[in-house]
Amino acid sequence: QVQLVESGGGLVQPGGSLLLSCAASGFTFSRYTMSWYRQVPGRERELVAVISGAGGGTNYADSVKGRFTISRDNTKNTVHLQMSSLKPEDTAVYYCKATFSLNSRFEYWGQGTQVTVSS
């Protein structure tokens, strides 16, 4: 069965760094666009970063541009989000999402991992 498992969340001080990882299984990973979203309780889920199936194209929310980097390794079926210069407003649950590049009806979500930026 399809599975997306996020890891790497935790507590970090402002200005610090954190690496999130998402391990995928149960589908043809390279055929899927991978995204990171984040959500604060009571607010809309926000798109943070996107990477194309082959890893050649990326997009970022303006709020994280220059601080976050999304990457993927199609030989290991993993996608990462390297977060640097973290701010308190980055605090959220971060979710990994897979979307089939040829049919967006096929999408899968991970369970999420908590990131807390606080001093």
PDB file of all heavy atoms in Angstrom, residues 71-102:
ATOM      1  N   SER A  71      14.542  18.742  -2.068  1.00  0.00           N
ATOM      2  CA  SER A  71      15.327  17.867  -2.923  1.00  0.00           C
ATOM      3  C   SER A  71      14.718  16.474  -2.886  1.00  0.00           C
ATOM      4  O   SER A  71      13.911  16.156  -2.013  1.00  0.00           O
ATOM      5  CB  SER A  71      16.793  17.827  -2.480  1.00  0.00           C
ATOM      6  OG  SER A  71      16.915  17.306  -1.169  1.00  0.00           O
ATOM      7  N   ARG A  72      15.105  15.649  -3.845  1.00  0.00           N
ATOM      8  CA  ARG A  72      14.615  14.280  -3.864  1.00  0.00           C
ATOM      9  C   ARG A  72      15.693  13.349  -4.375  1.00  0.00           C
ATOM     10  O   ARG A  72      16.585  13.751  -5.131  1.00  0.00           O
ATOM     11  CB  ARG A  72      13.345  14.157  -4.723  1.00  0.00           C
ATOM     12  CG  ARG A  72      13.555  14.385  -6.211  1.00  0.00           C
ATOM     13  CD  ARG A  72      12.215  14.502  -6.944  1.00  0.00           C
ATOM     14  NE  ARG A  72      11.446  13.264  -6.888  1.00  0.00           N
ATOM     15  CZ  ARG A  72      10.135  13.179  -7.109  1.00  0.00           C
ATOM     16  NH1 ARG A  72       9.432  14.283  -7.391  1.00  0.00           N
ATOM     17  NH2 ARG A  72       9.519  12.004  -7.049  1.00  0.00           N
ATOM     18  N   ASP A  73      15.599  12.109  -3.965  1.00  0.00           N
ATOM     19  CA  ASP A  73      16.493  11.065  -4.424  1.00  0.00           C
ATOM     20  C   ASP A  73      15.613   9.930  -4.922  1.00  0.00           C
ATOM     21  O   ASP A  73      15.051   9.175  -4.126  1.00  0.00           O
ATOM     22  CB  ASP A  73      17.410  10.600  -3.298  1.00  0.00           C
ATOM     23  CG  ASP A  73      18.458   9.612  -3.772  1.00  0.00           C
ATOM     24  OD1 ASP A  73      18.290   9.014  -4.845  1.00  0.00           O
ATOM     25  OD2 ASP A  73      19.458   9.431  -3.053  1.00  0.00           O
ATOM     26  N   ASN A  74      15.493   9.824  -6.239  1.00  0.00           N
ATOM     27  CA  ASN A  74      14.597   8.829  -6.813  1.00  0.00           C
ATOM     28  C   ASN A  74      15.136   7.407  -6.714  1.00  0.00           C
ATOM     29  O   ASN A  74      14.403   6.452  -6.969  1.00  0.00           O
ATOM     30  CB  ASN A  74      14.291   9.178  -8.270  1.00  0.00           C
ATOM     31  CG  ASN A  74      13.354  10.362  -8.402  1.00  0.00           C
ATOM     32  OD1 ASN A  74      12.765  10.806  -7.418  1.00  0.00           O
ATOM     33  ND2 ASN A  74      13.211  10.867  -9.611  1.00  0.00           N
ATOM     34  N   THR A  75      16.407   7.266  -6.375  1.00  0.00           N
ATOM     35  CA  THR A  75      16.950   5.932  -6.152  1.00  0.00           C
ATOM     36  C   THR A  75      16.623   5.418  -4.763  1.00  0.00           C
ATOM     37  O   THR A  75      16.708   4.221  -4.509  1.00  0.00           O
ATOM     38  CB  THR A  75      18.468   5.899  -6.358  1.00  0.00           C
ATOM     39  OG1 THR A  75      19.125   6.622  -5.316  1.00  0.00           O
ATOM     40  CG2 THR A  75      18.843   6.499  -7.700  1.00  0.00           C
ATOM     41  N   LYS A  76      16.266   6.328  -3.869  1.00  0.00           N
ATOM     42  CA  LYS A  76      15.935   5.967  -2.496  1.00  0.00           C
ATOM     43  C   LYS A  76      14.486   6.258  -2.145  1.00  0.00           C
ATOM     44  O   LYS A  76      14.078   6.014  -1.004  1.00  0.00           O
ATOM     45  CB  LYS A  76      16.853   6.712  -1.528  1.00  0.00           C
ATOM     46  CG  LYS A  76      18.319   6.372  -1.701  1.00  0.00           C
ATOM     47  CD  LYS A  76      19.187   7.148  -0.726  1.00  0.00           C
ATOM     48  CE  LYS A  76      20.648   6.796  -0.895  1.00  0.00           C
ATOM     49  NZ  LYS A  76      21.509   7.574   0.025  1.00  0.00           N
ATOM     50  N   ASN A  77      13.732   6.785  -3.096  1.00  0.00           N
ATOM     51  CA  ASN A  77      12.322   7.115  -2.876  1.00  0.00           C
ATOM     52  C   ASN A  77      12.136   8.030  -1.665  1.00  0.00           C
ATOM     53  O   ASN A  77      11.299   7.783  -0.795  1.00  0.00           O
ATOM     54  CB  ASN A  77      11.481   5.847  -2.718  1.00  0.00           C
ATOM     55  CG  ASN A  77      11.301   5.089  -4.013  1.00  0.00           C
ATOM     56  OD1 ASN A  77      11.860   5.435  -5.043  1.00  0.00           O
ATOM     57  ND2 ASN A  77      10.510   4.033  -3.976  1.00  0.00           N
ATOM     58  N   THR A  78      12.938   9.079  -1.638  1.00  0.00           N
ATOM     59  CA  THR A  78      12.852  10.027  -0.535  1.00  0.00           C
ATOM     60  C   THR A  78      12.828  11.451  -1.047  1.00  0.00           C
ATOM     61  O   THR A  78      13.379  11.763  -2.110  1.00  0.00           O
ATOM     62  CB  THR A  78      14.026   9.882   0.437  1.00  0.00           C
ATOM     63  OG1 THR A  78      15.259  10.043  -0.269  1.00  0.00           O
ATOM     64  CG2 THR A  78      14.014   8.526   1.118  1.00  0.00           C
ATOM     65  N   VAL A  79      12.177  12.304  -0.301  1.00  0.00           N
ATOM     66  CA  VAL A  79      12.187  13.730  -0.553  1.00  0.00           C
ATOM     67  C   VAL A  79      12.551  14.415   0.757  1.00  0.00           C
ATOM     68  O   VAL A  79      12.177  13.940   1.834  1.00  0.00           O
ATOM     69  CB  VAL A  79      10.828  14.228  -1.107  1.00  0.00           C
ATOM     70  CG1 VAL A  79       9.698  13.966  -0.115  1.00  0.00           C
ATOM     71  CG2 VAL A  79      10.899  15.700  -1.484  1.00  0.00           C
ATOM     72  N   HIS A  80      13.301  15.517   0.647  1.00  0.00           N
ATOM     73  CA  HIS A  80      13.791  16.211   1.831  1.00  0.00           C
ATOM     74  C   HIS A  80      13.421  17.684   1.778  1.00  0.00           C
ATOM     75  O   HIS A  80      13.216  18.254   0.712  1.00  0.00           O
ATOM     76  CB  HIS A  80      15.311  16.095   1.935  1.00  0.00           C
ATOM     77  CG  HIS A  80      15.808  14.690   1.913  1.00  0.00           C
ATOM     78  ND1 HIS A  80      15.801  13.882   3.025  1.00  0.00           N
ATOM     79  CD2 HIS A  80      16.331  13.949   0.905  1.00  0.00           C
ATOM     80  CE1 HIS A  80      16.290  12.700   2.709  1.00  0.00           C
ATOM     81  NE2 HIS A  80      16.623  12.718   1.429  1.00  0.00           N
ATOM     82  N   LEU A  81      13.365  18.272   2.933  1.00  0.00           N
ATOM     83  CA  LEU A  81      13.218  19.712   3.053  1.00  0.00           C
ATOM     84  C   LEU A  81      14.258  20.204   4.042  1.00  0.00           C
ATOM     85  O   LEU A  81      14.136  19.955   5.244  1.00  0.00           O
ATOM     86  CB  LEU A  81      11.810  20.095   3.520  1.00  0.00           C
ATOM     87  CG  LEU A  81      11.519  21.591   3.539  1.00  0.00           C
ATOM     88  CD1 LEU A  81      11.485  22.150   2.113  1.00  0.00           C
ATOM     89  CD2 LEU A  81      10.200  21.884   4.251  1.00  0.00           C
ATOM     90  N   GLN A  82      15.288  20.849   3.522  1.00  0.00           N
ATOM     91  CA  GLN A  82      16.316  21.429   4.364  1.00  0.00           C
ATOM     92  C   GLN A  82      15.877  22.835   4.753  1.00  0.00           C
ATOM     93  O   GLN A  82      15.694  23.694   3.892  1.00  0.00           O
ATOM     94  CB  GLN A  82      17.659  21.476   3.633  1.00  0.00           C
ATOM     95  CG  GLN A  82      18.774  22.160   4.403  1.00  0.00           C
ATOM     96  CD  GLN A  82      19.126  21.450   5.680  1.00  0.00           C
ATOM     97  OE1 GLN A  82      18.928  21.982   6.784  1.00  0.00           O
ATOM     98  NE2 GLN A  82      19.622  20.239   5.569  1.00  0.00           N
ATOM     99  N   MET A  83      15.695  23.060   6.039  1.00  0.00           N
ATOM    100  CA  MET A  83      15.200  24.318   6.545  1.00  0.00           C
ATOM    101  C   MET A  83      16.303  25.007   7.332  1.00  0.00           C
ATOM    102  O   MET A  83      16.860  24.429   8.269  1.00  0.00           O
ATOM    103  CB  MET A  83      13.973  24.103   7.434  1.00  0.00           C
ATOM    104  CG  MET A  83      12.863  23.312   6.752  1.00  0.00           C
ATOM    105  SD  MET A  83      11.367  23.217   7.756  1.00  0.00           S
ATOM    106  CE  MET A  83      11.977  22.260   9.138  1.00  0.00           C
ATOM    107  N   SER A  84      16.606  26.242   6.952  1.00  0.00           N
ATOM    108  CA  SER A  84      17.635  27.022   7.605  1.00  0.00           C
ATOM    109  C   SER A  84      17.071  28.378   8.006  1.00  0.00           C
ATOM    110  O   SER A  84      16.020  28.792   7.537  1.00  0.00           O
ATOM    111  CB  SER A  84      18.840  27.204   6.676  1.00  0.00           C
ATOM    112  OG  SER A  84      19.407  25.965   6.308  1.00  0.00           O
ATOM    113  N   SER A  85      17.815  29.065   8.867  1.00  0.00           N
ATOM    114  CA  SER A  85      17.401  30.384   9.354  1.00  0.00           C
ATOM    115  C   SER A  85      15.950  30.368   9.808  1.00  0.00           C
ATOM    116  O   SER A  85      15.152  31.244   9.460  1.00  0.00           O
ATOM    117  CB  SER A  85      17.612  31.435   8.263  1.00  0.00           C
ATOM    118  OG  SER A  85      18.971  31.493   7.872  1.00  0.00           O
ATOM    119  N   LEU A  86      15.620  29.382  10.593  1.00  0.00           N
ATOM    120  CA  LEU A  86      14.233  29.174  10.997  1.00  0.00           C
ATOM    121  C   LEU A  86      13.718  30.310  11.876  1.00  0.00           C
ATOM    122  O   LEU A  86      14.455  30.882  12.684  1.00  0.00           O
ATOM    123  CB  LEU A  86      14.092  27.841  11.713  1.00  0.00           C
ATOM    124  CG  LEU A  86      14.104  26.635  10.768  1.00  0.00           C
ATOM    125  CD1 LEU A  86      14.406  25.356  11.533  1.00  0.00           C
ATOM    126  CD2 LEU A  86      12.763  26.528  10.043  1.00  0.00           C
ATOM    127  N   LYS A  87      12.447  30.607  11.679  1.00  0.00           N
ATOM    128  CA  LYS A  87      11.759  31.665  12.398  1.00  0.00           C
ATOM    129  C   LYS A  87      10.592  31.077  13.173  1.00  0.00           C
ATOM    130  O   LYS A  87      10.065  30.029  12.800  1.00  0.00           O
ATOM    131  CB  LYS A  87      11.228  32.714  11.412  1.00  0.00           C
ATOM    132  CG  LYS A  87      12.275  33.293  10.476  1.00  0.00           C
ATOM    133  CD  LYS A  87      11.625  34.189   9.436  1.00  0.00           C
ATOM    134  CE  LYS A  87      12.646  34.764   8.488  1.00  0.00           C
ATOM    135  NZ  LYS A  87      12.016  35.626   7.460  1.00  0.00           N
ATOM    136  N   PRO A  88      10.165  31.748  14.237  1.00  0.00           N
ATOM    137  CA  PRO A  88       9.004  31.245  14.982  1.00  0.00           C
ATOM    138  C   PRO A  88       7.781  31.015  14.101  1.00  0.00           C
ATOM    139  O   PRO A  88       7.016  30.075  14.352  1.00  0.00           O
ATOM    140  CB  PRO A  88       8.750  32.344  16.018  1.00  0.00           C
ATOM    141  CG  PRO A  88      10.105  32.923  16.257  1.00  0.00           C
ATOM    142  CD  PRO A  88      10.780  32.906  14.907  1.00  0.00           C
ATOM    143  N   GLU A  89       7.600  31.832  13.075  1.00  0.00           N
ATOM    144  CA  GLU A  89       6.456  31.676  12.193  1.00  0.00           C
ATOM    145  C   GLU A  89       6.545  30.445  11.291  1.00  0.00           C
ATOM    146  O   GLU A  89       5.591  30.123  10.587  1.00  0.00           O
ATOM    147  CB  GLU A  89       6.238  32.938  11.331  1.00  0.00           C
ATOM    148  CG  GLU A  89       7.489  33.436  10.631  1.00  0.00           C
ATOM    149  CD  GLU A  89       8.177  34.563  11.387  1.00  0.00           C
ATOM    150  OE1 GLU A  89       8.343  34.449  12.621  1.00  0.00           O
ATOM    151  OE2 GLU A  89       8.552  35.565  10.752  1.00  0.00           O
ATOM    152  N   ASP A  90       7.673  29.750  11.313  1.00  0.00           N
ATOM    153  CA  ASP A  90       7.792  28.478  10.606  1.00  0.00           C
ATOM    154  C   ASP A  90       7.198  27.322  11.407  1.00  0.00           C
ATOM    155  O   ASP A  90       7.098  26.204  10.893  1.00  0.00           O
ATOM    156  CB  ASP A  90       9.255  28.163  10.287  1.00  0.00           C
ATOM    157  CG  ASP A  90       9.875  29.151   9.313  1.00  0.00           C
ATOM    158  OD1 ASP A  90       9.196  29.524   8.326  1.00  0.00           O
ATOM    159  OD2 ASP A  90      11.038  29.528   9.520  1.00  0.00           O
ATOM    160  N   THR A  91       6.841  27.579  12.644  1.00  0.00           N
ATOM    161  CA  THR A  91       6.252  26.546  13.484  1.00  0.00           C
ATOM    162  C   THR A  91       4.956  26.033  12.869  1.00  0.00           C
ATOM    163  O   THR A  91       4.049  26.805  12.568  1.00  0.00           O
ATOM    164  CB  THR A  91       5.981  27.090  14.892  1.00  0.00           C
ATOM    165  OG1 THR A  91       7.229  27.427  15.516  1.00  0.00           O
ATOM    166  CG2 THR A  91       5.270  26.053  15.749  1.00  0.00           C
ATOM    167  N   ALA A  92       4.876  24.728  12.666  1.00  0.00           N
ATOM    168  CA  ALA A  92       3.710  24.116  12.038  1.00  0.00           C
ATOM    169  C   ALA A  92       3.916  22.611  11.991  1.00  0.00           C
ATOM    170  O   ALA A  92       5.000  22.103  12.280  1.00  0.00           O
ATOM    171  CB  ALA A  92       3.516  24.652  10.617  1.00  0.00           C
ATOM    172  N   VAL A  93       2.866  21.913  11.602  1.00  0.00           N
ATOM    173  CA  VAL A  93       3.003  20.518  11.227  1.00  0.00           C
ATOM    174  C   VAL A  93       3.316  20.488   9.740  1.00  0.00           C
ATOM    175  O   VAL A  93       2.598  21.086   8.940  1.00  0.00           O
ATOM    176  CB  VAL A  93       1.730  19.707  11.524  1.00  0.00           C
ATOM    177  CG1 VAL A  93       1.887  18.267  11.036  1.00  0.00           C
ATOM    178  CG2 VAL A  93       1.423  19.728  13.014  1.00  0.00           C
ATOM    179  N   TYR A  94       4.376  19.801   9.376  1.00  0.00           N
ATOM    180  CA  TYR A  94       4.808  19.723   7.995  1.00  0.00           C
ATOM    181  C   TYR A  94       4.405  18.387   7.403  1.00  0.00           C
ATOM    182  O   TYR A  94       4.659  17.335   7.989  1.00  0.00           O
ATOM    183  CB  TYR A  94       6.325  19.917   7.902  1.00  0.00           C
ATOM    184  CG  TYR A  94       6.735  21.357   8.058  1.00  0.00           C
ATOM    185  CD1 TYR A  94       6.655  21.986   9.295  1.00  0.00           C
ATOM    186  CD2 TYR A  94       7.179  22.105   6.967  1.00  0.00           C
ATOM    187  CE1 TYR A  94       7.005  23.323   9.440  1.00  0.00           C
ATOM    188  CE2 TYR A  94       7.529  23.435   7.109  1.00  0.00           C
ATOM    189  CZ  TYR A  94       7.446  24.042   8.343  1.00  0.00           C
ATOM    190  OH  TYR A  94       7.802  25.367   8.482  1.00  0.00           O
ATOM    191  N   TYR A  95       3.785  18.446   6.218  1.00  0.00           N
ATOM    192  CA  TYR A  95       3.258  17.266   5.553  1.00  0.00           C
ATOM    193  C   TYR A  95       3.929  17.048   4.206  1.00  0.00           C
ATOM    194  O   TYR A  95       4.165  17.999   3.458  1.00  0.00           O
ATOM    195  CB  TYR A  95       1.758  17.404   5.304  1.00  0.00           C
ATOM    196  CG  TYR A  95       0.911  17.503   6.550  1.00  0.00           C
ATOM    197  CD1 TYR A  95       0.612  18.738   7.102  1.00  0.00           C
ATOM    198  CD2 TYR A  95       0.406  16.361   7.152  1.00  0.00           C
ATOM    199  CE1 TYR A  95      -0.170  18.839   8.233  1.00  0.00           C
ATOM    200  CE2 TYR A  95      -0.380  16.453   8.283  1.00  0.00           C
ATOM    201  CZ  TYR A  95      -0.669  17.697   8.818  1.00  0.00           C
ATOM    202  OH  TYR A  95      -1.456  17.791   9.938  1.00  0.00           O
ATOM    203  N   CYS A  96       4.176  15.814   3.900  1.00  0.00           N
ATOM    204  CA  CYS A  96       4.686  15.394   2.606  1.00  0.00           C
ATOM    205  C   CYS A  96       3.509  14.967   1.730  1.00  0.00           C
ATOM    206  O   CYS A  96       2.620  14.249   2.190  1.00  0.00           O
ATOM    207  CB  CYS A  96       5.658  14.231   2.816  1.00  0.00           C
ATOM    208  SG  CYS A  96       6.365  13.511   1.333  1.00  0.00           S
ATOM    209  N   LYS A  97       3.504  15.413   0.483  1.00  0.00           N
ATOM    210  CA  LYS A  97       2.430  15.081  -0.450  1.00  0.00           C
ATOM    211  C   LYS A  97       3.004  14.590  -1.768  1.00  0.00           C
ATOM    212  O   LYS A  97       3.953  15.163  -2.289  1.00  0.00           O
ATOM    213  CB  LYS A  97       1.548  16.308  -0.704  1.00  0.00           C
ATOM    214  CG  LYS A  97       0.418  16.069  -1.693  1.00  0.00           C
ATOM    215  CD  LYS A  97      -0.242  17.378  -2.085  1.00  0.00           C
ATOM    216  CE  LYS A  97      -1.320  17.169  -3.129  1.00  0.00           C
ATOM    217  NZ  LYS A  97      -1.897  18.454  -3.586  1.00  0.00           N
ATOM    218  N   ALA A  98       2.396  13.546  -2.313  1.00  0.00           N
ATOM    219  CA  ALA A  98       2.750  13.019  -3.625  1.00  0.00           C
ATOM    220  C   ALA A  98       1.570  13.188  -4.566  1.00  0.00           C
ATOM    221  O   ALA A  98       0.440  12.855  -4.213  1.00  0.00           O
ATOM    222  CB  ALA A  98       3.133  11.547  -3.519  1.00  0.00           C
ATOM    223  N   THR A  99       1.838  13.700  -5.767  1.00  0.00           N
ATOM    224  CA  THR A  99       0.802  13.893  -6.777  1.00  0.00           C
ATOM    225  C   THR A  99       1.268  13.297  -8.090  1.00  0.00           C
ATOM    226  O   THR A  99       2.339  13.650  -8.581  1.00  0.00           O
ATOM    227  CB  THR A  99       0.491  15.385  -6.983  1.00  0.00           C
ATOM    228  OG1 THR A  99       0.180  16.000  -5.735  1.00  0.00           O
ATOM    229  CG2 THR A  99      -0.686  15.553  -7.935  1.00  0.00           C
ATOM    230  N   PHE A 100       0.459  12.405  -8.655  1.00  0.00           N
ATOM    231  CA  PHE A 100       0.811  11.778  -9.925  1.00  0.00           C
ATOM    232  C   PHE A 100       0.910  12.854 -10.999  1.00  0.00           C
ATOM    233  O   PHE A 100      -0.018  13.643 -11.195  1.00  0.00           O
ATOM    234  CB  PHE A 100      -0.238  10.736 -10.292  1.00  0.00           C
ATOM    235  CG  PHE A 100       0.084   9.909 -11.499  1.00  0.00           C
ATOM    236  CD1 PHE A 100       1.364   9.419 -11.702  1.00  0.00           C
ATOM    237  CD2 PHE A 100      -0.895   9.605 -12.429  1.00  0.00           C
ATOM    238  CE1 PHE A 100       1.668   8.645 -12.817  1.00  0.00           C
ATOM    239  CE2 PHE A 100      -0.613   8.830 -13.539  1.00  0.00           C
ATOM    240  CZ  PHE A 100       0.673   8.348 -13.727  1.00  0.00           C
ATOM    241  N   SER A 101       2.020  12.871 -11.711  1.00  0.00           N
ATOM    242  CA  SER A 101       2.281  13.948 -12.649  1.00  0.00           C
ATOM    243  C   SER A 101       1.342  13.959 -13.850  1.00  0.00           C
ATOM    244  O   SER A 101       1.163  14.998 -14.486  1.00  0.00           O
ATOM    245  CB  SER A 101       3.737  13.886 -13.122  1.00  0.00           C
ATOM    246  OG  SER A 101       4.000  12.670 -13.792  1.00  0.00           O
ATOM    247  N   LEU A 102       0.732  12.832 -14.173  1.00  0.00           N
ATOM    248  CA  LEU A 102      -0.149  12.738 -15.327  1.00  0.00           C
ATOM    249  C   LEU A 102      -1.629  12.752 -14.978  1.00  0.00           C
ATOM    250  O   LEU A 102      -2.467  12.847 -15.865  1.00  0.00           O
ATOM    251  CB  LEU A 102       0.166  11.470 -16.128  1.00  0.00           C
ATOM    252  CG  LEU A 102       1.581  11.384 -16.708  1.00  0.00           C
ATOM    253  CD1 LEU A 102       1.744  10.091 -17.500  1.00  0.00           C
ATOM    254  CD2 LEU A 102       1.881  12.585 -17.591  1.00  0.00           C
TER     255      LEU A 102
END
